[in-house]
Amino acid sequence: MKFLELISVGKTFRSGGKPPAEILTGIDLHIEKGEFVAVIGHSGCGKSTLLSMIAGLEDATAGSVCLREHEISGPGPERAVVFQHHSLLPWRTVLGNVMLAVDAVFAREAKAERRARAERWLEKVGLKEHMLKYPHEISGGMKQRAGIARALSMEPEVLLLDEPFGALDALTRAQLQDEVVRLHAENGLTVFMVTHDIDEAVYCSDRIVMMNVGPRASIGQILDVPFARPRERISLMESEGFAHLRARCIRFLYDQKGKQVPVATPIPVPDPVVGEPALAG
Ligand SMILES: Nc1ncnc2c1ncn2[C@@H]1O[C@H](COP(=O)(O)OP(=O)(O)OP(=O)(O)O)[C@@H](O)[C@H]1O
Ligand SMILES: [Mg+2]
């Protein structure tokens, strides 16, 4: 049975009085269970929109997004999302934030069991000793960890990450990448990660989906990342294979820059249209 499938997916935004904006078109992608897929592309091409459709937060306006051959029609606990900026509730402790997710998904379990679940995930992301603190009392990296613990505490099959480490310093980002890679391996997770960080895409993923520029963006190329797991960061990043894949991503993004679609139609173009591809480190 197919796991996660995007079949001729398109998205057109229609909002009051404005001309329709066709953002994505003809997206075909099959993601296998346990796969780690990274998505890169210029700012505004529709990466977050694509992720939101898999999350069930946005509907596809063409084609279908299916999980195990059932069309996704809304959010579900088997698909958890972590955004770039944490979305912790400021009036709840770290534990309280994770408990919210656990309580929603495992409502039938006794309170002590639910609390043990939340604590177990906080321990896995190294936050157990900080679990009684409030979001304003912990660092940015710790907040992202809490967001990851909250997402994973629902025991999802699919983890959707939208630039999850974009706001963090390089060292914290590297640590969290390693944690997500470990959690992906330990829990048989399927991961779909949008990123602007090419090194992150190459280091973490099994495949890199490279999006064309929008509007009417589609998948330009898909790169296989053949490195064995577990991966050792420094030696991998110093290898020729890594440099080769990294260069292919950069070349793709630079080529896309030249293919920017002129604003010939009333379709809104994002502002700013093109950013330089971000490199880690
Ligand atoms: N709800 C909406 N209504 C109308 N247009 C929208 C809506 N959400 C997103 N868009 C437009 O869709 C396009 C793609 O947005 P999206 O956020 O998916 O891009 P992105 O690739 O994630 O960009 P970035 O890399 O900057 O995060 C943009 O032009 C954006 O303005
Ligand atoms: Mg985005």
Side-chain angles (χ1 to χ4, degrees):
M1 185 187 283
K2 299 265 170 73
F3 187 63
L4 182 58
E5 259 188 312
L6 290 88
I7 308 160
S8 305
V9 168
K11 179 71 181 178
T12 300
F13 285 109
R14 292 168 209 280
S15 50
K18 291 191 198 148
E22 190 182 4
I23 301 299
L24 292 168
T25 185
I27 307 277
D28 285 302
L29 183 64
H30 173 216
I31 298 175
E32 293 194 22
K33 187 162 169 53
E35 220 185 333
F36 197 131
V37 171
V39 182
I40 62 170
H42 283 285
S43 180
C45 72
K47 303 177 296 296
S48 297
T49 304
L50 193 59
L51 180 139
S52 297
M53 289 192 286
I54 300 174
L57 300 169
E58 290 279 0
D59 292 333
T61 49
S64 45
V65 184
C66 298
L67 185 66
R68 290 211 175 81
E69 297 175 8
H70 285 93
E71 192 153 348
I72 291 171
S73 58
E78 75 286 353
R79 284 162 286 131
V81 191
V82 179
F83 295 105
Q84 176 174 11
H85 295 287
H86 78 91
S87 45
L88 302 174
L89 297 176
W91 59 86
R92 282 188 161 245
T93 61
V94 167
L95 177 66
N97 271 281
V98 177
M99 284 300 291
L100 263 189
V102 173
D103 288 347
V105 177
F106 300 100
R108 289 189 184 167
E109 289 186 356
K111 183 144 192 251
E113 270 177 75
R114 279 180 274 137
R115 172 149 177 157
R117 267 183 191 282
E119 288 190 18
R120 200 161 59 239
W121 284 103
L122 285 164
E123 187 160 23
K124 282 202 192 207
V125 300
L127 269 189
K128 192 151 180 220
E129 63 193 87
H130 302 287
M131 70 183 189
L132 297 180
K133 292 186 179 162
Y134 287 87
H136 73 271
E137 295 176 299
I138 59 176
S139 71
M142 287 155 85
K143 285 176 200 158
Q144 281 310 88
R145 281 201 173 92
I148 292 167
R150 183 178 55 184
L152 294 181
S153 71
M154 302 193 299
E155 302 205 351
E157 289 187 279
V158 182
L159 183 62
L160 302 166
L161 304 171
D162 194 353
E163 298 184 47
F165 316 130
L168 305 174
D169 68 273
L171 194 60
T172 310
R173 189 163 61 205
Q175 281 170 352
L176 286 186
Q177 286 163 1
D178 287 339
E179 268 171 38
V180 166
V181 165
R182 178 175 58 79
L183 293 166
H184 158 254
E186 278 176 6
N187 301 284
L189 279 172
T190 305
V191 182
F192 184 90
M193 176 175 73
V194 170
T195 181
H196 279 285
D197 181 336
I198 293 169
D199 285 4
E200 178 171 279
V202 179
Y203 175 66
C204 295
S205 75
D206 298 312
R207 276 194 298 165
I208 304 176
V209 171
M210 301 194 283
M211 306 275 301
N212 293 324
V213 282
R216 295 184 295 276
S218 57
I219 294 175
Q221 281 179 35
I222 300 182
L223 276 186
D224 283 326
V225 182
F227 311 129
R229 294 181 190 272
R231 296 175 180 174
E232 205 283 306
R233 176 179 292 271
I234 303 296
S235 56
L236 181 61
M237 287 192 167
E238 285 173 353
S239 69
E240 270 182 35
F242 192 94
H244 173 72
L245 286 185
R246 188 176 190 273
R248 284 189 63 181
C249 293
I250 294 171
R251 196 176 311 130
F252 176 87
L253 292 176
Y254 271 85
D255 285 352
Q256 287 301 308
K257 236 175 137 174
K259 289 187 192 150
Q260 197 70 52
V261 179
V263 194
T265 64
I267 292 170
V269 175
D271 181 25
V273 178
V274 173
E276 294 291 312
L279 305 177

